[in-house]
Amino acid sequence: MKRIHYLSGVTISLFIGVHFFNHFMSVFGAEMHIEVMESLRVVYRNIIIETILMAAVLIQIVSGGMLVLTKRKEQKTFYQKVQVYTGLYLAMFLVIHVSAVLSGRLLMGLDTNIYFGVAGLNTFPFSLFFIPYYGLAVLSFFGHLAAMHSQRMKRSVLGLSPKRQSDIILVMGLITMLIIFSGLTNGFSGLKIPDTYKIMTGS
């Protein structure tokens, strides 16, 4: 089960890495984000890759839940607990996020681009929900990586113990979150949402 969970996690992580790169491009403007996204979609938006990703998400959630149930009494160290709590949050986030994107595409007929994803993030009072919602997702992803690293890495690197290496991964997650938020909110001044996407906030 651990092996299955690991392999599905690697598959999802590859896509998330590409997804984060796409979000980094928003620092240069929404148009750049969309331009990069359209180039990347040539690779991942097809029936084969999307089916693999959907299967990986389902496997990750189910296998993760089973591992939590069977190993819950063994979680004693800080990073063991981080692995459980971040895994649970990511499972919830993936269910909600994937469902929202599919609903937007198939039911609402919207292009699920940057404006679809951040309409709520840039609209008060919805931002009060979406800031922690997205922020915790980014931090949970890096927290999960940090927890895995602390368990798999057995030696120091450049004088840094495995725990310190994992701490650095967490800090990288925080920096990544701030950069992404800056891009998706136009430098924290707010991104102008086209009228087509204001339906996301009931406007």
Side-chain angles (χ1 to χ4, degrees), residues 21 41 43 45 47-48 52 61 64 83 87 101 103 119 125 145 151 155 162 166 170 178 180 185 200:
F21 171 74
R41 278 181 175 178
V43 178
R45 184 166 283 194
I47 188 65
I48 297 175
I52 292 173
I61 293 172
Q83 185 174 24
V101 170
S103 296
L145 289 181
Q151 295 179 38
R155 60 187 179 85
S166 293
L170 281 181
L178 292 175
I180 288 176
T185 57
M200 303 298 299

Side-chain angles (χ1 to χ4, degrees), residues 56-181:
V57 168
L58 180 60
I59 292 171
Q60 185 75 0
I61 293 172
V62 173
S63 61
M66 294 177 68
L67 287 172
V68 168
L69 291 175
T70 57
K71 303 290 184 180
R72 63 184 183 279
K73 294 182 179 180
E74 300 178 14
Q75 314 307 321
K76 297 180 180 179
T77 68
F78 171 74
Y79 276 111
Q80 285 176 335
K81 293 178 180 179
V82 166
Q83 185 174 24
V84 170
Y85 295 132
T86 56
L88 291 173
Y89 186 82
L90 286 172
M92 179 197 71
F93 179 85
L94 285 171
V95 170
I96 296 173
H97 196 61
V98 171
S99 297
V101 170
L102 291 178
S103 296
R105 284 169 55 183
L106 303 177
L107 300 180
M108 303 171 70
L110 293 173
D111 181 1
T112 52
N113 57 25
I114 184 174
Y115 298 116
F116 176 86
V118 302
L121 185 65
N122 288 272
T123 306
F124 185 83
F126 299 97
S127 54
L128 297 178
F129 167 79
F130 282 102
I131 289 174
Y133 171 71
Y134 283 124
L136 284 174
V138 176
L139 292 177
S140 291
F141 175 73
F142 280 91
H144 213 62
L145 289 181
M148 290 178 57
H149 184 83
S150 70
Q151 295 179 38
R152 290 177 173 272
M153 180 60 70
K154 303 300 181 183
R155 60 187 179 85
S156 297
V157 175
L158 299 177
L160 297 171
S161 67
K163 183 180 183 304
R164 286 288 175 255
Q165 295 170 37
S166 293
D167 293 342
I168 290 174
I169 293 175
L170 281 181
V171 174
M172 290 173 58
L174 178 61
I175 295 172
T176 298
M177 181 194 71
L178 292 175
I179 294 174
I180 288 176
F181 269 3

